[in-house]
Amino acid sequence: MKLEPSNRFSARRVSPTAAAPPHGAGAPMDLDQASGRKVWTNTFRARSDKVIAVGRILLALGSVWIAWLDSVHVPLPPEPIYFLLIGHLFYAIAAAFLVWRTEISRVRGTLVRHIIDVAAFAIFMSMTDGPASPFFMLMPFTLLSATLHWRWRGALYTGLVCLAALLYLGYFDAGDMLDPDADTTTNASRILFIFVAAALLVWLGAHQEAVRAELLRLVQRTPSQPRGREWPARAALDYAAHVMLVPRALLLWTDAEEPWTYAALWNEGELEVMQMPPDAFGTWTDEKLLRSSLLVTEAARGRVLVHIGEGRFHQWSDPDPPISPALVEAFNINAAVSTFFQVDDLQARLFVLEPPALTLDDVAIAEIIADRIKALFEQAILVRRLSDEAAVDERIRIGRDLHDGVLQALAGTALQLQSLRKLKDAGPDVLAERLEAIQAMLLEEQRELRGFIRALEPGGNLQATGEMQLERQLEAVAARLRQQWQIDVSIAFDPPSGIDLPLALTYELARMTSEATANAVRHGGAQKVRITLSIDNGSIVLTIDDDGVGFGYGERLDHAELEREKIGPRSLRERAAARGGKLAIERIAEWTRVVVMLPMPQ
């Protein structure tokens, strides 16, 4: 059953891209994976070589001792066999010396040593009792060595060589194998032993290779975090399908902050993400299985193995369905491996659908995959939180800029218009001059407001980079303040010239100067403002003195006290704190002093 968009369901289909190719059951192995598998194989082979070298020495010593104990099994004169066995012992010691001295990254001579081992057991057995020879023990050793070196291929081909050697050395027919008094019963038992051992080792090697390839896929590719606020559904399911080699994968999740159940279905490289009501499928699994990992062999009939921890499973036997029937029907779930994970208030369940062969190992792999997907969702949640916090900070900063810029300019313009009432007896030339001044102020503010809006557009930048000469900028600010508020504004610099600061910092100092002056005029009735900017011990010190009534504080208040009591000009306090600086207010004789200290940029 395929879910169609409706008034309750919304879906969007995401097509596969070249950057994220599908990894289905028949997808070829990429070059990186082949290279990684070769490195892994060589590393394991190098470790195996050292163990095999020790085993070869022990078997060579044992062979010499057995030949000495049981010389009756040597039909030829004993000297040749002793000579060959001692030679084989020296060869084993020399091979072990070379293997242990060789760097682990360099694996050489494995095939040559294996051929010598095969030739050794063939020669020793042919010189003694054939298949019944006491040197038969060299044959299983060679078979095990081949499995460690080349896994199922080594077990298969070496097993065939061992069987051919036994048959050749046996020289018996089918009737002799039924004779209990003949040596052929020993020969037959050893042939049967080698056959069964080879078959088991072929299976073991194939299983080892499959597990190793799965682990290699697991660690070689890391799911990538998408940009922005998008949930990482594609990266998660691409990774799960790549590791498990499945044609389909399903991810369900709910977030307490969003009134939706999300369902992402990955199907042969195509992703479909659906938003549904929270009760779209009821509970995804039975309440008792909420956090359990499941091995589902037949979902519709409730055939499920439940992982109860430490690699132990039990068969689901309750009459209630283990998985929501609506979920099974909606996504055509039959065989699957499913596991649960949670990040804060987000709950999710992964379904790896139609795996090539269901094994208990798949549950462990799926749990590791889920743990990596959990890390993706943790990053996505963190990105969302940081994005929200950044948006709040940006809105606060924009509000401060509008308050300290446009709103203060409009307030000054309103005072200017109000002052025109006092000039009703003045001549038209005076009124025209004042109106032109007000018009120039409005045009200047209009220009600044347009620049502010352009900076908010995509690609704009409120925090400009580059440098500007501070004196020129603040002189322009002082001129505008004189005209805007009709007051006496003076400005001084220490050092008197040559102060270059980043544009963003210059912008902040200009806004602080405008805000402090506006506060002094509007709330303190100031008529004179003295602005001083100096560099002191690696700090920028902006001092604004005015002759207004002040804030009513009888003593100096530093930044910590202003923050603790939440008093003083909030905009100046927040701007200074945002730049890592401090604000202080004090009363000096008839002057109110506002001091802003900001660290010099590195």
Side-chain angles (χ1 to χ4, degrees):
M1 173 181 176
K2 181 177 177 60
L3 292 173
E4 298 293 341
S6 67
N7 59 338
R8 295 186 64 209
F9 296 78
S10 65
R12 60 185 172 90
R13 181 174 295 276
V14 183
S15 299
T17 62
H23 294 272
M29 183 186 304
D30 57 31
L31 294 177
D32 289 341
Q33 183 172 335
S35 176
R37 175 176 290 186
K38 184 176 181 180
V39 170
W40 198 339
T41 300
N42 285 344
T43 304
F44 181 76
R45 185 181 297 172
R47 293 197 303 265
S48 301
D49 262 352
K50 295 183 178 181
V51 178
I52 292 170
V54 174
R56 186 183 291 112
I57 293 175
L58 295 177
L59 282 176
L61 285 171
S63 298
V64 173
W65 182 57
I66 289 173
W68 176 72
L69 288 177
D70 197 10
S71 58
V72 69
H73 289 284
V74 185
L76 299 178
E79 288 78 9
I81 193 68
Y82 282 131
F83 176 79
L84 291 176
L85 288 174
I86 292 173
H88 182 253
L89 174 59
F90 281 111
Y91 153 74
I93 295 172
F97 179 79
L98 292 175
V99 167
W100 280 86
R101 287 290 301 271
T102 303
E103 296 179 5
I104 193 171
S105 59
R106 304 178 66 183
V107 182
R108 294 180 178 178
T110 303
L111 181 60
V112 173
R113 289 191 292 273
H114 186 68
I115 292 174
I116 294 174
D117 290 339
V118 171
F121 78 71
I123 292 172
F124 295 150
M125 290 177 66
S126 65
M127 293 181 66
T128 52
D129 288 345
S133 168
F135 304 117
F136 172 80
M137 60 185 179
L138 298 175
M139 187 175 288
F141 165 78
T142 306
L143 189 59
L144 288 170
S145 300
T147 307
L148 291 176
H149 281 146
W150 302 286
R151 296 176 301 284
W152 70 268
R153 295 177 180 83
L156 176 62
Y157 297 136
T158 304
L160 292 175
V161 171
C162 291
L163 287 173
L166 286 175
L167 291 173
Y168 176 79
L169 295 173
Y171 292 110
F172 59 86
D173 56 26
D176 292 335
M177 285 192 293
L178 300 178
D179 183 3
D181 294 330
D183 289 339
T184 54
T185 55
T186 301
N187 300 346
S189 67
R190 293 192 172 184
I191 292 173
L192 182 61
F193 168 76
I194 290 296
F195 178 80
V196 174
L200 292 177
L201 290 175
V202 166
W203 176 88
L204 178 63
H207 176 71
Q208 183 188 37
E209 185 167 326
V211 171
R212 187 176 300 170
E214 198 166 41
L215 291 175
L216 184 63
R217 292 194 301 270
L218 185 69
V219 302
Q220 194 173 38
R221 176 177 172 181
T222 302
S224 58
Q225 176 69 42
R227 295 180 179 179
R229 297 173 59 88
E230 183 180 355
W231 290 114
R234 166 166 284 283
L237 293 181
D238 271 346
Y239 178 67
H242 166 74
V243 173
M244 301 289 285
L245 297 180
V246 294
R248 295 195 306 143
L250 172 66
L251 183 64
L252 304 170
W253 74 93
T254 60
D255 186 2
E257 297 180 359
E258 299 180 358
W260 303 105
T261 289
Y262 290 91
L265 180 64
W266 191 95
N267 188 358
E268 296 289 354
E270 291 191 357
L271 182 70
E272 187 176 2
V273 180
M274 291 153 276
Q275 292 181 348
M276 307 172 223
D279 58 349
F281 301 118
T283 57
W284 303 332
T285 62
D286 187 273
E287 291 288 346
K288 293 187 287 293
L289 304 179
L290 178 63
R291 298 176 178 273
S292 300
S293 297
L294 310 175
L295 188 69
V296 185
T297 55
E298 196 172 353
R301 301 182 64 179
R303 294 183 176 177
V304 172
L305 288 176
V306 182
H307 186 211
I308 59 177
E310 298 181 356
R312 294 178 292 119
F313 292 81
H314 74 73
Q315 182 77 40
W316 177 258
S317 57
D318 288 16
D320 298 327
I323 303 176
S324 166
L327 185 62
V328 172
E329 181 181 1
F331 295 102
N332 193 25
I333 299 175
N334 185 30
V337 182
S338 179
T339 187
F340 171 89
F341 65 90
Q342 182 171 355
V343 183
D344 295 336
D345 294 331
L346 183 144
Q347 295 185 346
R349 178 165 284 277
L350 172 68
F351 288 87
V352 182
L353 305 174
E354 293 106 38
L358 276 175
T359 66
L360 299 183
D361 294 338
D362 290 338
V363 175
I365 298 296
E367 289 177 347
I368 297 174
I369 293 172
D371 195 57
R372 288 207 162 185
I373 295 175
K374 176 181 176 180
L376 279 182
F377 275 84
E378 287 175 342
Q379 295 177 40
I381 291 174
L382 180 59
V383 167
R384 288 182 166 222
R385 289 176 179 171
L386 292 176
S387 176
D388 292 341
E389 291 176 3
V392 171
D393 291 342
E394 186 70 8
R395 286 197 295 269
I396 292 173
R397 195 179 62 79
I398 291 172
R400 283 200 304 262
D401 286 347
L402 291 174
H403 175 272
D404 298 348
V406 177
L407 291 181
Q408 297 291 17
L410 291 176
T413 303
L415 289 177
Q416 292 272 13
L417 292 172
Q418 186 177 5
S419 68
L420 290 179
R421 294 178 181 178
K422 301 177 182 179
L423 301 176
K424 58 182 178 180
D425 297 332
D429 292 340
V430 175
L431 290 174
E433 182 180 353
R434 295 295 297 275
L435 287 173
E436 286 179 1
I438 294 173
Q439 184 181 15
M441 289 168 50
L442 290 174
L443 288 175
E444 178 65 18
E445 292 303 324
Q446 185 182 31
R447 183 187 64 80
E448 286 203 8
L449 184 59
R450 284 177 177 171
F452 184 80
I453 293 173
R454 282 196 299 270
L456 293 176
E457 294 175 351
N461 183 15
L462 283 172
Q463 299 296 323
T465 57
E467 290 191 346
M468 173 177 284
Q469 191 174 28
L470 186 61
E471 297 97 318
R472 185 171 64 250
Q473 178 68 12
L474 289 189
E475 288 284 5
V477 170
R480 188 168 69 248
L481 291 174
R482 294 187 193 101
Q483 185 180 33
Q484 188 177 62
W485 299 106
Q486 295 296 301
I487 60 174
D488 180 14
V489 179
S490 63
I491 187 166
F493 299 93
D494 183 16
S497 63
I499 302 177
D500 293 330
L501 293 177
L503 289 176
L505 183 55
T506 303
Y507 175 84
E508 286 293 320
L509 290 170
R511 285 301 184 194
M512 290 179 181
T513 302
S514 298
E515 171 67 5
T517 302
N519 286 338
V521 176
R522 293 180 60 193
H523 304 298
Q527 291 299 311
K528 294 182 180 180
V529 174
R530 298 185 309 195
I531 303 168
T532 305
L533 191 135
S534 61
I535 308 297
D536 183 22
N537 293 327
S539 296
I540 305 168
V541 182
L542 175 65
T543 305
I544 300 101
D545 294 327
D546 69 85
D547 62 354
V549 298
F551 294 92
Y553 310 143
E555 58 182 4
R556 177 184 172 93
L557 297 178
D558 60 17
H559 191 91
E561 293 172 300
L562 295 173
E563 281 285 356
R564 184 173 61 253
E565 301 296 333
K566 300 300 180 185
I567 55 178
R570 186 181 69 178
S571 179
L572 289 177
R573 194 175 67 237
E574 290 177 350
R575 281 187 180 276
R579 284 281 173 179
K582 297 178 181 179
L583 174 69
I585 299 174
E586 60 182 323
R587 185 75 178 176
I588 301 177
E590 74 276 12
W591 297 93
T592 299
R593 174 167 290 180
V594 175
V595 181
V596 178
M597 296 184 63
L598 301 178
M600 281 288 287
Q602 298 297 323

